Amino acid sequence: MARILDGVAIATAIKQEVAREVQALAAQGVRPGLAAVLVGSVAASEIYVRSKVQTCTELGIYSDLITPPASVTTEEMLDLVARLNARDEIDGILIQLPLPPQVDTKALLDAVSPAKDVDGFHPVNAGRLQAGRPALAPCTPAGVIEILKRSDIPIAGQHAVIVGRSDIVGKPAAMLLLHQNATVTICHSKTRDLGAITRQADILVAAIGRPGFITPEMVKPGATLIDVGINRLTTREEFDRFFAGDAKREAAFAKRGSTIVGDIHPKAFEVAGAYTPVPGGVGPLTIAMLMANTVRAAKMRRGI
Ligand code: NAP
């Protein structure tokens, strides 16, 4: 029976540690602060940003929610970022993506001060991460490492295969695993005979954005499966493809009209030695690591 890697419990432990650090900083007169920028009214983005702001409040981190209209221009956003870069009580700047099409997302992310880049998306932080220098690492991949370490899953010497090469998840996950001395293979949409490679993985990280893409035949028995994917299923047909006969899921689907599945087919978890469930695996770590990065940025900026 595969071990479930409980992301909720690990995220809770990290948030408790962050709260203790925030208290210790308060004794030195420092209160870490996060500015969250939410443009327009994309329902999913609103949910994410509100839960980030609420977590700040729970942990004693100052937060400022800024909500420009959907019609905002690149120039107005650049001006906003410049002001946030200059505000001393702001240690972290989070710009919730995606942005409306008229806004130049790359120009905006590049304008965030690397010292306040708590999402770890700035090229300076990407470069520092690659060079093995102190950097603010992207939250989701950093969360993947925390899950593995805190679950006592060995990384050094293991073959880690990552499917997906995005700048947000796949590439930084590969770099972080490499720094932990894994032997790393990165796969993508042009990879030939993907299954032959994923079957070699001791640790398989799926960050693809395709529901249940990794099937049981693609998994080495006993491997650790880290499922980063979040895919919403809304039709009966899709639901049955993954969860037919699962009474608990059925009840949730009937209630909400949707459910989520990762990039790894639930049947593949039966072959694994350990796996992160969806939901409740990697997802909760993203906010926890954002909080940890905000406190880290506050300390780094002050030389603490
Ligand atoms: P992305 O930017 O769309 O990247 C997807 C990657 O998957 C690309 O590198 C792509 O390859 C690869 N890919 C697509 N089809 C493939 C195929 N048939 N075979 C092999 N590789 C394939 O996505 P992302 O931002 O990294 O996100 C990936 C997933 O993680 C999504 O489900 C997203 O919702 C989820 N996510 C979760 C969290 C969290 O908090 N848990 C955070 C971020 C993202 P190419 O480069 O060749 O196109």
Side-chain angles (χ1 to χ4, degrees), residues 33-35 37 77-88 90-95 105-126 128 135-137 293-294 296-298 300-302:
L34 177 74
V37 182
M77 285 295 285
L78 286 170
D79 185 54
L80 170 63
V81 167
R83 279 182 278 127
L84 293 174
N85 282 342
R87 276 174 61 184
D88 196 45
I90 297 298
D91 296 292
I93 301 170
L94 166 114
I95 299 169
T105 301
K106 277 203 172 130
L108 208 62
L109 296 181
D110 288 0
V112 172
S113 161
K116 297 189 176 188
D117 170 39
V118 281
D119 263 332
F121 294 163
H122 195 286
V124 165
N125 278 317
R128 280 189 190 146
L136 292 165
N293 267 356
T294 303
R296 186 143 181 257
M300 280 163 69
R301 221 159 52 83
R302 293 172 178 80

Side-chain angles (χ1 to χ4, degrees), residues 140 163-170 187-191 194 206-210 213 227-231 263 282-283 286:
T140 302
V163 188
R165 58 172 163 180
S166 71
D167 293 332
I168 294 172
V169 187
C187 302
H188 47 78
S189 67
K190 308 289 186 292
T191 298
L194 183 64
I208 311 160
R210 293 187 168 212
F213 183 83
D227 194 349
V228 181
I230 301 175
N231 307 291
D263 290 342
V282 176
T286 301

